[in-house]
Amino acid sequence: MKDYGPNDIRNVGLVSHQSTGKSTLVEGMLFAAGAITRLGTIDDGSTTADYRSDEIERKISISASLMTIDWKKNKFNILDMPGYPDFIGEVHCGLRVTDLTVVLLNGVSGVEVGTDLAWDIIEKNKGPRLFFVNRLDKEHASFSKVVANAQEAYGNSAIPVQFPVKEGETFDAVVDLLTMKKVTFQSDGSGKYKSEEIPADLKGKAEEMRNALIEKIAEADDTILEKYFEAGELTPEETAQGLRAGIRNATIFPILCGAAAKNYGSTLLLDFISDYGPSPIDRPAAPAKDGAGAEITIATDEKAPFSGFIFKTLSEMHVGELSLIRIYSGQIKPGDEVLNTSNNISEKIGQIYELNGRNRKEKGNLIAGDIGALVKLRNTHTNNTLSDRRKQVVFPPVAFPEPVVQVAVTPKSKGDEDKISSGLHTLNETDPSFTIEVNPELKQTVLSGQGEIHLAVIVNRLKERYGVEVEQKKPKIPYRETITGKSDEKYRHKKQTGGAGQFAEVWMRIEPQPRGAGFEFESHIVGGSISGPFIPSIEKGVRQILEEGAIAGYRIVDVKAMVYDGKEHPVDSKDIAFQIAGREVFKMCVQAAKPILLEPIYDVEIKCPEENMGDIMGDLNSRRGRIMGMESIGRFQVVKAKVPLAELHGYSSTLRSLTQGRANYTRKFSHYDPMPKEVEAKVIAEAQAEKAAAQ
């Protein structure tokens, strides 16, 4: 591969709703560029991007894959990202470092929920983007409907630069509105094409669509707009200048088209990105902080001090960890000493690779704007910054969405606890979009991820790579106990053995606190009925019950406890005696103060097509959900509800089933609410049965 400067690089990300054809399109691009010698397919598990065993088995992309090709005068770094919402974390990582996003649309279905998910991330990054309408060779494909759909969802900045001559099974040609030529694709899968004059019956349509495109291009640049008003047309140079500006400023979202399964359109797409796509130099300087924590920006400059961001860590068999890095300034080469500014540890750069899926090619250096892989860094993982020690830089980490699915895991074999902990933490370094929580309250290790498939993949990788199997269970719910009334109790602890005895008597009142106020302990002892040093002992006993619970084994909240009287013995009273008395009297008080259970309530937002609203609302009602509101966003509806956490187990799968995969949801903790009595009775009975079984 020849040497390229930052202006010659094209960092391109591919996103879409699931199963729209990203990996197949990438395969066509690689084949057309000569990076591979045969076209692989998803069905036979031979595509370059989806090379991992779990991707081949499931026939879906799970991890972002990096591919590198030469095309004409440019170097392309292509990131193929998953379409399943379970792996949305990979999209967050990939879109952080790309300069142009290709959004694939299904030529039959148009804009789908997964399209919107990716679009929201692109919008936050304010990134340049274009559309590629795929599958135009399928029955019922309609380019015009998909274009209308995209414009309804994302505005009139979405505008065609091509349109198909025919759609459906006979699709094999497009009209290019920039060259005003008919382009016919070769049927051998090579990606090659021939250009010819536009047929007479399509000239009128082509002229009309070109005029609309030229107007949009003129609007992207004030100087060009003036010339357009004067001349009524633009020169090819002005058209190119305006189109580049519109894409760079995200005021134009060009729409291209093709059929990836036949490798129709891949070369036109590469040509278009090469001619009009932004280079790293065209993008705004990246926000960062300097060594003192002050806000700065880093411009793409290969002569500046080195800085780079690790956006993805891969764990590869027989290689170890590969750290995918975007260089923002300067350059690195093997042997360089750099600083990991995220954890203040030095790293020595070893081998540097360019990747094509699993295939690696050693490289002598990486310059500003480029993307590549570093091998076996000791203490560097996803979201870390590497920089020159003399001019330290820290880039902000990728912000991942809140997990929406949980599972509790326990080892199948005794003694595997350490292996499981080590394996999960290593997997978490490669995929920070899932979390691991060892919950001492519930005595469970809980994995939280973006979907059931996401967690299944993690558990499977734990088995494959670390040789440990786990049992998966429904996570326990962190219910809370509280009281609704007041109570007043006393308890005497008296124990006499052969030696010294134990004695303590404690009188206590409790009352409820406002929700969220927590626990309060007061001593109202007067006259010295209990000595001052024993008051903390009583509180210590009370706090034991706060953690253990008094009715179902859950933490007690929002209670005020007051010790107001008691007795002690000059010889037998001691710390342990008052701890026991405090614990027992507090338990009695709680049981007498009309105790109830509280359950965690979550704010849930579901984004779905309008036709699925009835099924979703019915399902939410069956889960004791309260609908808080609805709003329309484009062609989708957003349902906002408050739902008990206990009712959300397995919801991701149910939602996918109800909507044929066209809906997604997010959730976050809201508050605790009292449980319905019939549900509470069931939970208490289960807790008591579990306690009895453990004894």
Side-chain angles (χ1 to χ4, degrees):
M1 193 171 272
K2 66 179 185 180
D3 289 334
Y4 292 100
N7 199 45
D8 304 320
I9 294 170
R10 300 289 183 268
N11 295 316
V12 182
L14 271 70
V15 299
S16 75
H17 187 73
Q18 63 208 43
S19 304
T20 306
K22 294 179 304 301
S23 299
T24 304
L25 178 60
V26 170
E27 195 75 2
M29 295 163 87
L30 295 173
F31 186 67
I36 56 176
T37 55
R38 60 179 291 272
L39 284 166
T41 67
I42 299 292
D43 286 338
D44 63 17
S46 58
T47 63
T48 309
D50 294 346
Y51 63 89
R52 301 165 187 87
S53 57
D54 40 18
E55 293 177 317
I56 292 169
E57 180 186 343
R58 294 179 181 273
K59 299 187 189 302
I60 60 171
S61 298
I62 290 173
S63 297
S65 287
L66 175 63
M67 273 69 60
T68 309
I69 61 171
D70 286 305
W71 186 256
K72 296 189 174 177
K73 61 184 186 298
N74 299 114
K75 176 187 180 184
F76 277 66
N77 294 313
I78 303 169
L79 277 167
D80 176 28
M81 289 167 267
Y84 267 78
D86 295 53
F87 308 107
I88 194 68
E90 301 287 318
V91 182
H92 280 270
C93 289
L95 291 183
R96 171 63 177 275
V97 298
T98 50
D99 301 315
L100 175 68
T101 307
V102 178
V103 182
L104 270 72
L105 298 175
N106 190 318
V108 178
S109 308
V111 175
E112 298 173 272
V113 169
T115 324
D116 253 21
L117 262 181
W119 190 267
D120 289 344
I121 304 170
I122 302 167
E123 282 282 273
K124 285 175 187 171
N125 294 337
K126 300 180 174 64
R129 67 212 82 166
L130 63 81
F131 292 102
F132 184 86
V133 180
N134 193 26
R135 302 195 163 199
L136 287 174
D137 57 333
K138 302 299 179 186
E139 190 179 1
H140 305 306
S142 173
F143 181 75
S144 60
K145 283 185 180 177
V146 173
V147 169
N149 196 200
Q151 290 175 341
E152 179 190 354
Y154 309 124
N156 289 329
S157 292
I159 189 158
V161 296
Q162 302 167 355
F163 68 88
V165 174
K166 296 176 186 174
E167 295 154 328
E169 293 180 2
T170 58
F171 169 73
D172 67 352
V174 300
V175 171
D176 187 319
L177 299 173
L178 292 168
T179 61
M180 287 301 278
K181 296 287 185 183
K182 176 189 173 187
V183 177
T184 304
F185 304 110
Q186 290 188 14
S187 59
D188 58 2
S190 65
K192 295 178 181 177
Y193 57 85
K194 66 174 184 178
S195 296
E196 55 192 318
E197 293 304 312
I198 300 172
D201 61 330
L202 291 175
K203 274 194 173 175
K205 178 179 179 180
E207 290 287 352
E208 184 181 338
M209 291 180 70
R210 177 180 165 82
N211 288 339
L213 174 63
I214 295 298
E215 280 185 25
K216 182 62 70 176
I217 289 171
E219 291 169 5
D221 186 300
D222 289 343
T223 306
I224 293 174
L225 185 60
E226 283 183 27
K227 290 182 179 178
Y228 179 68
F229 281 144
E230 289 171 8
E233 182 54 273
L234 298 178
T235 66
E237 292 76 18
E238 290 164 347
T239 300
Q241 181 185 335
L243 184 51
R244 287 190 199 103
I247 294 171
R248 184 175 63 242
N249 301 329
T251 57
I252 296 177
F253 311 144
I255 304 176
L256 289 78
C257 56
K262 294 179 178 176
N263 203 13
Y264 291 170
S266 62
T267 46
L268 284 183
L269 177 61
L270 287 169
D271 286 343
F272 186 86
I273 295 171
S274 183
D275 291 340
Y276 306 107
S279 75
I281 288 176
D282 295 321
R283 302 290 292 127
K289 291 184 178 179
D290 64 15
E295 302 281 347
I296 58 171
T297 57
I298 303 294
T300 302
D301 180 359
E302 59 184 316
K303 294 179 181 177
F306 162 72
S307 66
F309 180 70
I310 305 295
F311 65 93
K312 174 71 184 163
T313 308
L314 302 172
S315 180
E316 300 287 359
M317 299 287 282
H318 313 302
V319 180
E321 285 196 355
L322 291 172
S323 301
L324 301 190
I325 186 169
R326 160 82 186 243
I327 311 298
Y328 282 94
S329 63
Q331 59 179 298
I332 50 168
K333 59 185 183 300
D336 285 354
E337 292 273 355
V338 299
L339 181 68
N340 181 325
T341 51
S342 302
N343 54 29
N344 200 33
I345 292 177
S346 291
E347 289 279 14
K348 186 171 184 177
I349 303 301
Q351 291 165 299
I352 299 174
Y353 285 133
E354 288 176 341
L355 301 183
N356 261 326
R358 65 155 56 92
N359 302 312
R360 299 179 299 277
K361 182 180 177 183
E362 208 160 335
K363 186 169 170 59
N365 71 334
L366 283 175
I367 65 165
D370 210 350
I371 294 174
L374 309 180
V375 185
K376 295 180 181 175
L377 298 178
R378 291 176 298 124
N379 297 292
T380 297
H381 304 290
T382 304
N383 267 341
N384 287 178
T385 298
L386 298 178
S387 87
D388 189 308
R389 184 179 290 276
R390 292 163 299 178
K391 186 177 179 183
Q392 297 182 21
V393 171
V394 181
F395 293 106
V398 174
F400 294 102
E402 287 287 320
V404 296
V405 176
Q406 293 182 319
V407 66
V409 294
T410 54
K412 281 190 177 179
S413 304
K414 284 188 177 179
D416 276 351
E417 288 84 358
D418 288 345
K419 274 187 181 178
I420 287 171
S421 176
S422 172
L424 285 174
H425 281 90
T426 303
L427 289 171
N428 190 231
E429 287 170 348
T430 65
D431 178 10
S433 68
F434 82 91
T435 61
I436 310 155
E437 181 190 9
V438 180
N439 192 314
E441 177 191 350
L442 302 176
K443 299 178 178 63
Q444 285 188 320
T445 297
V446 178
L447 304 183
S448 303
Q450 304 298 329
E452 273 88 356
I453 299 176
H454 186 201
L455 294 182
V457 165
I458 291 162
V459 168
N460 187 57
R461 287 181 176 175
L462 189 64
K463 178 183 175 182
E464 276 190 354
R465 297 179 190 180
Y466 304 98
V468 286
E469 294 189 63
V470 295
E471 291 182 349
Q472 300 178 58
K473 296 180 180 177
K474 182 178 178 180
K476 294 177 182 175
I477 306 297
Y479 296 116
R480 296 286 179 261
E481 300 178 11
T482 193
I483 58 172
T484 57
K486 299 179 180 180
S487 66
D488 189 329
E489 299 287 342
K490 59 185 175 180
Y491 180 84
R492 173 178 290 187
H493 173 66
K494 187 175 183 181
K495 185 179 180 183
Q496 195 67 45
T497 56
Q502 294 180 9
F503 179 87
E505 184 174 311
V506 177
W507 296 30
M508 183 180 287
R509 283 193 296 267
I510 68 170
E511 61 185 44
Q513 295 255 79
R515 189 75 66 241
F519 172 71
E520 196 175 334
F521 179 85
E522 292 180 355
S523 170
H524 294 182
I525 297 293
V526 290
S529 57
I530 300 176
S531 300
F534 290 134
I535 300 302
S537 303
I538 297 170
E539 183 177 358
K540 190 173 181 181
V542 169
R543 288 189 178 277
Q544 287 177 14
I545 297 300
L546 278 180
E547 293 301 314
E548 296 172 9
I551 55 174
Y554 296 100
R555 188 180 297 166
I556 298 169
V557 296
D558 303 334
V559 175
K560 184 175 184 178
M562 295 154 283
V563 178
Y564 66 91
D565 205 353
K567 293 179 183 176
E568 63 181 66
H569 188 276
V571 177
D572 293 344
S573 288
K574 54 196 71 173
D575 170 74
I576 187 65
F578 275 97
Q579 275 192 51
I580 293 169
R583 189 174 69 211
E584 296 304 317
V585 72
F586 182 64
K587 188 191 293 183
M588 291 167 60
C589 282
V590 170
Q591 291 170 345
K594 300 178 184 174
I596 61 169
L597 285 185
L598 303 174
E599 63 179 339
I601 306 297
Y602 274 63
D603 285 322
V604 173
E605 281 196 14
I606 301 136
K607 192 171 191 177
C608 65
E610 190 162 354
E611 58 265 30
N612 297 121
M613 285 279 287
D615 290 336
I616 285 170
M617 303 276 271
D619 183 68
L620 285 173
N621 287 330
S622 74
R623 295 172 186 270
R624 299 192 284 124
R626 284 186 294 137
I627 309 298
M628 307 304 292
M630 289 171 283
E631 61 176 307
S632 296
I633 298 180
R635 59 196 287 267
F636 298 106
Q637 296 290 324
V638 175
V639 181
K640 298 181 180 182
K642 291 190 182 293
V643 186
L645 176 60
E647 303 291 344
L648 287 174
H649 186 72
Y651 185 60
S652 180
S653 288
T654 301
L655 187 62
R656 188 172 287 137
S657 175
L658 285 173
T659 64
Q660 293 78 50
R662 294 183 296 167
N664 72 283
Y665 88 106
T666 59
R667 73 183 194 187
K668 66 178 180 180
F669 173 74
S670 173
H671 65 284
Y672 274 88
D673 254 2
M675 298 171 70
K677 284 299 174 188
E678 66 276 10
V679 180
E680 180 185 81
K682 185 179 177 184
V683 170
I684 292 172
E686 286 174 356
Q688 290 172 345
E690 189 176 319
K691 186 177 179 181
Q695 289 175 344

